[in-house]
């Protein structure tokens, strides 16, 4: 190729991505035709916060896939276990009578406590799973699918033994049930907290991977384990840590979802694993940015469509996934 | 004090079904220049280095480094004991920038390693120019420079370097020779090298391997005079 044709091609590429963006944004303004602005804004904020919830679980999945090349179908089980762990903490505060009277700031405190417990339990579960099972199936996708489905069953059974098989009502701290009004739109505090948490996790992950020494070691380890080992780093410990972090993120997502839905049930993992998988595929396997954008797309379209054509709400996400895969087989941010 | 820094005693290595190293015994003194490993293609030179490093562990035999048995240690533990390794395939991290490649190689980032880094960059100015470039975009020779330069930033007790001159322009080979000469006083180097001139410039003693066994050990000057040896095993 001559330099001229290269320049021409990059020009076309730029124009194409620009055009794609305009089409994308246009699509998300489209619902305005059928609803008034207040409804649209309410749905948009709800959609973004749902997206952030999904991002929390998808980010762990994409981290584990992108960095460790492990297809982890036990991710939904980590998510459910985290939800129950957070529920237990909130229940404890509730038994003291603190939840119903909580101000916004003490609600935040209870939330942080619940999230820490969930993250801890999730990370622990991740460490055990990685050391006992995953370690033996690195590099073998089929085996990964089989054993992680097995792990998922085991975790859910343990969960049922500890917490029982029924749905439980999650006590939501009083401060989160309030809302404030902005330009005529009711906004619940919990939605804003979800968005802040999601964006925060995204920023921390980006910073961690791009700027820190550990991030460099992790990216290096994914590319070439041998160099990392011969430089003097214990790569298997680093991989365990990554898996634990991914599981911890799933567990945090679980607690947030438990509060969002005000309930937990042993099967909740499967349901959201599907959401997370869609997001990861739309965003491009292994891309944290992709999952972030993918989660927002899924959250928004779910909410718009649930309002307009309730029966289509879940289906539309599969449609979006199919369309995106047709245009970009590797997902929005997938690497070739 | 001139105890051996590294010794291999009847080391055998199997890869799958293949018996690659067939009883290698080597002794290397800490001081007095680089030790060169020679031998034709497939003789087992790279496998010897990889076995020392714990990448293809020995099936039997003993390996001692700084007086400690390392044949059962993990690669990263051996590296932490002060052994550095430059593999033969220009192994740098393609998805990391030149800067990140260097940061990775600094087990500890302190004044000393940063000082070393500045020295190394003076030796290989091309790398400074591509500081923020992904290593995957460098030319083959530049990558080779990076692969070598990155082990120089830490102070090792022993460096295993596999065919560093492969694919480098003659002038860069000269630079490389210079840098090897410069570090050989504080760091013991084991060098696999086909370029006999470079080997002679930096090496003191040498081992010739053939079919996974040591067939010659002696001073490199003596080898240069031994016409039959040179012809049979090195084709020179
Ligand atoms: N992973 C492997 N699987 C099977 N055989 C191997 C493997 N690695 C090396 N060998 C074999 O071991 C023998 C020694 O290989 P090695 O790479 O150590 O040779 P070398 O002396 O470094 O050769 P060269 O000068 O070509 O680099 C060769 O016959 C090679 O085919
Ligand atoms: Mg070799």
């Amino acid at each position: 190729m001559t330099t001229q044709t290269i320049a021409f091609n990059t020009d076309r590429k730029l124009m194409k991505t620009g055009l794609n963006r305009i089409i994308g944004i246009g699509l998300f303004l489209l619902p305005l035709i059928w609803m008034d602005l207040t409804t649209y804004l309410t749905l948009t904020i709800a959609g973004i916060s749902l997206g952030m919830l999904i991002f929390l679980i998808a980010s762990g999945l994409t981290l584990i896939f992108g960095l460790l090349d492990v297809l982890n179908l036990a991710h939904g089980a980590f998510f459910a276990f985290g939800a129950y762990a957070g529920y237990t903490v909130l229940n404890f505060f509730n038994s003291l009578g603190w939840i119903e009277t909580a101000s916004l700031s003490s609600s935040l405190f209870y939330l942080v406590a619940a999230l820490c417990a969930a993250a801890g339990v999730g990370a622990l579960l991740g460490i055990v799973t990685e050391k006992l099972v995953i370690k033996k199936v690195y590099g073998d996708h089929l085996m990964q699918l089989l054993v992680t489905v097995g792990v998922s069953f085991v975790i859910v059974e343990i969960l049922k033994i500890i917490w029982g098989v029924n749905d439980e009502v999650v006590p939501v701290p009083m401060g989160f049930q309030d809302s404030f009004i902005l330009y005529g739109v009711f906004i619940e505090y919990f939605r804003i907290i979800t968005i802040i948490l999601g964006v925060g996790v995204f920023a921390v992950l980006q910073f961690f991977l791009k700027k820190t020494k550990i991030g460099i070691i992790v990216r290096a380890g994914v590319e070439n384990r041998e160099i990392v080992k011969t430089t003097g780093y214990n790569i298997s410990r680093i991989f365990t840590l990554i898996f634990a972090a991914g599981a911890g993120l799933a567990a945090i997502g679980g607690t947030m979802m438990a509060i969002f839905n005000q309930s937990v049930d042993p099967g909740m993992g499967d349901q959201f694993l599907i959401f997370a998988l869609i997001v990861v595929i739309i965003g491009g396997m292994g891309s944290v940015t992709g999952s972030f954008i993918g989660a927002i797309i899924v959250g928004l379209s779910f909410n718009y469509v649930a309002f307009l054509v309730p029966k289509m709400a879940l289906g539309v996400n599969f449609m979006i996934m199919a369309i995106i895969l047709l245009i970009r087989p590797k997902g929005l941010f997938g690497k070739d | 004090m001139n105890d051996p820094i590294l010794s291999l005693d009847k080391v055998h290595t199997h890869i799958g079904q293949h018996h690659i190293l067939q009883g290698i015994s080597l002794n290397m003194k800490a001081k007095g220049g680089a030790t060169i490993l020679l031998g034709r293609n497939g003789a087992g030179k790279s496998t010897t280095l990889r076995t020392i490093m714990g990448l293809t562990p020995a099936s039997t035999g003993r390996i001692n480094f700084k007086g400690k048995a390392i044949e059962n240690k993990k690669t990263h533990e051996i590296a932490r004991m002060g052994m550095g390794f430059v593999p033969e395939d220009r192994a740098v991290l393609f998805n990391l920038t030149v800067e990140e490649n260097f940061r990775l190689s600094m087990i500890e980032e302190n004044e000393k390693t940063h000082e070393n880094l500045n020295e190394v960059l003076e030796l290989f100015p091309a790398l400074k120019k591509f500081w923020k470039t992904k290593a995957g975009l460098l030319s083959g020779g530049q990558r080779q420079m990076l692969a070598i330069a990155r082990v120089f930033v830490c102070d090792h007790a022993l460096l295993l370097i596999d065919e560093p001159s492969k694919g480098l322009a003659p002038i860069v080979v000269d630079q490389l020779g210079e840098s090897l000469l410069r570090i050989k006083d504080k760091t013991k180097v084991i060098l696999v090298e086909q370029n006999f001139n470079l080997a002679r410039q930096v090496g003191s003693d040498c081992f010739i391997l053939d079919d996974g066994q040591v067939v010659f050990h002696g001073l490199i000057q003596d080898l240069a005079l031994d016409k039959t040896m040179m012809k049979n095993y090195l084709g020179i």
Side-chain angles (χ1 to χ4, degrees):
Chain A
M1 257 195 301
T2 65
T3 36
Q4 254 170 348
T5 52
I6 293 172
F8 176 67
N9 279 346
T10 44
D11 265 4
R12 265 211 335 208
K13 225 183 226 166
L14 277 180
M15 260 168 58
K16 229 174 131 189
T17 50
L19 195 65
N20 284 346
R21 265 189 213 144
I22 292 168
I23 294 176
I25 292 168
L27 270 178
F28 281 95
L29 292 174
L30 193 66
L32 268 172
I33 299 175
W34 296 285
M35 57 181 82
D36 59 72
L37 190 63
T38 316
T39 317
Y40 179 76
L41 288 177
T42 309
L43 288 177
T44 301
I45 288 173
I48 291 178
S49 79
L50 176 65
M52 289 302 99
L53 281 177
I54 299 169
F55 169 69
L56 286 175
I57 162 167
S59 64
L61 197 63
T62 207
L63 207 62
I64 290 175
F65 182 80
L67 296 180
L68 309 186
D69 196 30
V70 169
L71 293 165
N72 176 31
L73 292 188
H75 208 68
F78 296 152
F79 169 85
F81 216 93
Y84 273 87
Y87 152 73
T88 306
V89 171
L90 291 176
N91 227 9
F92 168 73
F93 289 125
N94 195 32
S95 70
L96 301 176
W98 293 355
I99 290 287
E100 279 164 49
T101 58
S103 64
L104 183 60
S105 58
S106 43
S107 296
L108 273 175
F109 172 77
Y110 303 141
L111 175 69
V112 170
L115 290 180
C116 287
V121 168
L124 201 67
L125 217 51
I127 290 174
V128 173
T129 307
E130 200 270 351
K131 283 199 180 283
L132 289 184
V133 186
I134 306 294
K135 193 137 272 179
K136 303 188 175 70
V137 294
Y138 278 121
D140 185 344
H141 283 158
L142 183 63
M143 279 301 284
Q144 287 163 8
L145 291 178
L146 295 175
V147 298
T148 55
V149 167
V151 168
S152 174
F153 280 129
V154 172
I155 291 175
V156 172
E157 286 312 306
I158 294 173
L159 187 155
K160 286 179 186 162
I161 292 169
I162 300 176
W163 285 287
V165 296
N166 297 322
D167 296 16
E168 303 287 345
V169 176
V170 173
V172 177
M174 204 54 205
F176 293 155
Q177 298 185 5
D178 278 350
S179 50
F180 60 96
I181 302 176
L182 192 71
Y183 300 114
V185 182
F186 277 90
I187 304 173
E188 287 164 39
Y189 281 112
F190 189 64
R191 295 206 192 283
I192 299 300
I193 290 165
T194 314
I195 294 173
I196 292 172
L197 185 66
V199 173
V201 165
F202 175 67
V204 167
L205 281 180
Q206 290 294 53
F207 175 78
F208 173 81
L209 285 174
K210 298 262 152 76
K211 299 280 179 239
T212 66
K213 181 73 171 277
I214 284 245
I216 293 177
I217 300 172
V218 167
R219 280 184 290 140
V222 177
E223 191 189 319
N224 189 329
R225 288 176 143 218
E226 239 173 46
I227 299 185
V228 176
K229 281 198 265 182
T230 58
T231 308
Y233 300 106
N234 185 350
I235 188 93
S236 54
R237 180 170 328 139
I238 291 165
F239 276 30
T240 308
L241 277 177
I242 297 293
F243 198 85
L249 281 173
I252 286 177
T255 290
M256 291 301 283
M257 192 61 86
I259 298 173
F260 187 79
N261 285 342
Q262 311 196 358
S263 77
V264 286
D265 70 273
M268 66 190 291
D270 297 335
Q271 201 181 326
F272 289 102
L273 181 64
I274 293 181
F275 263 128
L277 282 171
I278 294 177
V279 163
V280 170
I281 292 171
I282 288 179
M285 300 280 247
S287 161
V288 174
T289 311
S291 290
F292 188 73
I293 304 290
I296 292 175
I297 293 177
V298 166
L300 284 177
S301 40
F302 183 85
N303 265 19
Y304 295 147
V305 178
F307 178 80
L308 294 170
V309 204
K311 282 197 177 136
M312 282 289 294
L314 191 60
V316 74
N317 284 315
F318 285 103
M319 261 167 55
I320 291 175
M321 180 172 83
I323 293 169
I324 285 179
L325 287 184
L326 276 177
I327 305 170
R328 291 188 63 109
K330 296 258 176 187
L332 291 176
F333 289 77
K335 289 195 196 90
D336 297 318
Chain B
M1 188 190 95
N2 214 357
D3 289 337
I5 188 167
L6 179 81
S7 63
L8 277 69
D9 186 22
K10 300 191 196 72
V11 169
H12 290 257
T13 299
H14 294 258
I15 301 180
Q17 300 293 314
H18 306 281
H19 191 179
I20 312 282
L21 299 189
Q22 309 184 359
I24 298 255
S25 298
L26 310 170
N27 250 307
M28 279 157 210
K29 301 271 188 283
K31 298 280 177 208
T35 298
I36 314 290
L37 294 188
L38 295 165
R40 43 181 148 221
N41 295 124
K45 305 179 297 289
S46 299
T47 309
T48 303
L49 297 192
R50 293 174 58 81
T51 296
I52 296 169
M53 206 61 219
L55 290 168
T56 48
S59 18
T60 60
R62 299 183 54 78
I63 306 176
N64 264 279
F65 174 48
K66 295 206 286 194
K68 292 202 184 69
I70 58 165
E71 66 269 9
N72 291 321
K73 286 204 188 304
K74 300 229 168 72
T75 299
H76 68 93
E77 293 168 331
I78 297 171
R80 291 262 169 171
M81 288 173 68
M83 201 184 296
F85 180 53
V86 182
E88 74 179 326
D89 42 7
R90 302 172 191 201
V92 294
L93 293 144
F94 285 33
N95 291 321
L96 301 191
T97 62
V98 170
E99 177 187 16
E100 289 170 333
N101 268 282
F102 276 114
R103 276 191 74 194
L104 181 75
S105 60
M106 294 182 189
I107 290 273
E108 279 165 42
E109 287 183 47
N110 52 31
E111 255 174 54
K112 185 78 189 67
T113 47
H114 280 283
E115 207 175 282
N116 288 350
L117 177 64
N118 286 335
E119 256 175 55
V120 168
L121 287 178
E122 261 164 47
L123 227 49
F124 299 100
L127 295 176
K128 211 157 151 188
K129 211 166 96 198
F130 295 105
W131 194 235
K132 297 273 178 197
T133 308
K134 289 221 164 126
L137 298 174
L138 298 179
S139 77
Q142 289 164 341
R143 255 180 245 153
Q144 180 72 337
M145 286 183 221
L146 177 59
I148 299 161
R150 61 180 291 277
V151 298
F152 286 168
V153 295
C154 282
D155 292 329
H156 294 95
L158 175 66
L159 276 180
L160 313 178
I161 308 181
D162 202 346
E163 300 201 36
S165 66
K166 210 155 94 181
L168 294 185
I171 181 156
V172 185
V173 173
D174 289 346
Q175 279 171 17
L176 177 69
E178 223 171 89
S179 62
L180 287 174
L181 279 175
R182 215 189 281 187
I183 58 160
K184 84 173 184 196
D185 294 327
K186 57 175 179 183
T187 306
K188 174 73 185 180
V189 175
I190 301 180
L191 191 65
V192 171
E193 187 51 72
Q194 308 277 8
N195 181 331
F196 197 72
N197 281 332
L198 179 63
R200 212 153 125 178
Q201 185 191 349
V202 300
S204 54
D205 62 332
C206 75
F207 291 85
I208 297 181
L209 305 187
D210 202 50
D211 278 338
Q213 287 172 328
V214 177
V215 293
F216 173 87
H217 177 217
L219 293 178
I220 200 145
Q221 294 100 304
D222 298 343
L223 175 68
L225 300 173
D226 190 335
K227 290 263 163 13
T228 43
M229 206 69 198
M230 294 281 282
K231 193 163 179 341
N232 286 350
Y233 292 108
L234 307 174
I236 300 174

